[in-house]
Amino acid sequence: MGVREFPGGSPRGKGIAAMRRSPDVSPRRLSDISPQLRQLKYLVVDEAIKEDLKWSRSVEDLTGGPAGLTSIEERILRITGYYGYQPWAASCKREERPRDGPGPAEAPAGAEAGRANRSGCRCSGLQLRKLSWGLAVVLCVCASWAGSTQLAKLTFQTFDAPFTLTWFATTWNCLFFPLYYVGHVCKAADRQSVKQRYRECCRFFGDNGLTLKVFFTKAAPFGVLWTLTNYLYLHAIKKINTTDVSVLFCCNKAFVFLLSWIVLRDRFMGVRIVAAILAIAGIVMMTYADGFHSHSVIGIALVVGSASMSALYKVLFKLLLGSAKFGEAALFLSILGVFNVLFITCIPVILYFTKVEYWSSFNDIPWGNLCGFSVLLLTFNIVLNFGIAVTYPTLMSLGIVLSVPVNAVVDHYTSEIVFNGVRVIAIIIIGLGFLLLLLPEEWDVWLVKLLTRLKVRKKEETAEGGGDLGSGPRNKSRRARSSFAR
């Protein structure tokens, strides 16, 4: 049973039939077919052709016609049968075409399918390559961050000078731009001289490049924040164990979200508010784990201050400078190293002569530990800033949180740390909050799409199962009828 024909044997109906035979005639107004429009509610379509009708109207009827035939009047005229348009008949005609061989229109389709398959393979290969690089980057970030933390703890046993260690390690930032230029020479097709590359990267600071004013207004504040972040982190290692320090520093991501929401007017996300609450709860529980002793409270306050300085550094960088390319980021970090050499060098000297950070002779300085810590910290910053070229940023962030169990294992065998229930719960809560902050902004949309797909698939499977069960009695009744007919 198809679409019911509208009655019409009058001369007007003959005119309509004539219009059906000549589809090039421009369509009539809707007022001319008001009786037919009133009968649209009596339009009955077989269940078997509903899907085909819908597909034909959506593709062939609306987009396949000539220009000017896609108005709402034209669609209604077609549906009401003014042009004798029967999409199911068109689909039948398409199915009745001979299949001797691919025609001129089908050969490109096959080529398109082949190209799509090859592009799909290439995409999957690219994703697999990114994931493999991501695994290497995660291991590198985890190893360098945990190694630098443990080596700093070992260094303080013989060299109790956290600010001097901070100054020494920050000085190595001067190597960022030279290392970047070496990579540029090795990889870039159009190689530039050092001067050309430097001038091009200086455009990051404005049209005038790196001037004295820009140095003090856009570089010096970040140099101070960089020094404070590292000094507070290293000073906290002297007070509490490295496990607590590394897990509390993970709260900086929650502080970044809160500051971005307040300062940068970033999008509000409820899941990230929950993550920030979990981070704060973890800090309180970590303080309670060892009791409210002076050393533990001071150490926790130092780590939270370090995480806050790190968050302020990232938010201010985005607010004042925006996003930076690889060369621009390398130049900026090298400028921080230059600022450290020019303006921060006086502070370790003052601390030495005031005997706040004092050592008897330069021969007693563990140069191996200092250089090892600086190399690990430089490696960590290089991978964290330039690893995005080969993998996903989320995978790089996972390396930081994975350093917590590494430090916990090392502390278990090298220190007297007690993993009581409160400490373990605090570590889990902070880690969970960190992972929640890694969720993309559209995570809820993706989740809804995934659940919708699962529901649709479940309904299809249920319908197929019901169809299979229902086919049995029908076959039996058919066989019974045939036997009676005999």
Side-chain angles (χ1 to χ4, degrees), residues 104-350:
E106 293 181 15
E112 290 286 340
R115 281 196 292 269
N117 291 334
R118 287 194 294 271
S119 64
C121 294
R122 276 199 297 270
C123 289
S124 61
L126 180 62
Q127 292 175 353
L128 184 62
R129 194 180 302 113
K130 271 199 167 188
L131 289 175
S132 59
W133 273 108
L135 180 61
V137 168
V138 166
L139 293 177
C140 189
V141 169
C142 178
S144 58
W145 186 240
S148 61
T149 303
Q150 293 294 331
L151 196 56
K153 186 79 170 180
L154 183 64
T155 303
F156 291 146
Q157 295 178 2
T158 56
F159 185 71
D160 189 9
F163 195 92
T164 304
L165 181 59
T166 302
W167 171 85
F168 184 79
T170 307
T171 305
W172 286 59
N173 280 11
C174 298
L175 298 176
F176 267 101
F177 190 75
L179 291 175
Y180 163 76
Y181 184 74
V182 171
H184 166 73
V185 171
C186 296
K187 297 291 291 183
D190 50 341
R191 299 175 183 175
Q192 297 177 335
S193 63
V194 179
K195 192 174 183 180
Q196 290 175 339
R197 199 64 190 162
Y198 171 77
R199 286 180 177 176
E200 185 175 341
C201 293
C202 280
R203 295 176 185 173
F204 173 65
F205 298 101
D207 297 334
N208 297 326
L210 183 62
T211 61
L212 196 63
K213 179 182 178 181
V214 169
F215 180 82
F216 283 105
T217 56
K218 293 187 177 181
F222 294 100
V224 174
L225 289 175
W226 181 283
T227 303
L228 285 175
T229 299
N230 288 279
Y231 170 69
L232 294 175
Y233 185 86
L234 293 176
H235 197 72
I237 293 177
K238 289 177 54 182
K239 302 291 184 180
I240 56 179
N241 56 76
T242 57
T243 303
D244 295 350
V245 172
S246 58
V247 72
L248 288 170
F249 189 77
C250 291
C251 296
N252 76 317
K253 210 162 185 65
F255 299 155
V256 168
F257 163 69
L258 293 175
L259 286 174
S260 300
W261 180 40
I262 297 170
V263 178
L264 303 178
R265 305 295 181 183
D266 279 0
R267 176 186 171 188
F268 175 81
M269 292 181 63
V271 68
R272 293 186 178 178
I273 288 291
V274 173
I277 294 173
L278 289 177
I280 296 172
I283 293 172
V284 175
M285 293 183 68
M286 192 67 70
T287 307
Y288 180 75
D290 286 331
F292 293 93
H293 304 296
S294 59
H295 280 283
S296 63
V297 172
I298 293 174
I300 290 171
L302 289 171
V303 183
V304 173
S306 175
S308 303
M309 292 298 105
S310 175
L312 186 61
Y313 174 94
K314 295 177 182 178
V315 173
L316 286 181
F317 187 92
K318 190 174 180 181
L319 178 66
L320 300 177
L321 299 173
S323 58
K325 300 178 182 178
F326 295 125
E328 296 166 351
L331 178 62
F332 183 79
L333 292 172
S334 294
I335 291 172
L336 295 186
V338 173
F339 172 82
N340 181 73
V341 172
L342 294 178
F343 298 99
I344 307 296
T345 305
C346 59
I347 298 179
V349 175
I350 294 173

Side-chain angles (χ1 to χ4, degrees), residues 58 362 425 436:
S58 61
F362 285 92
I425 293 174
L436 287 177

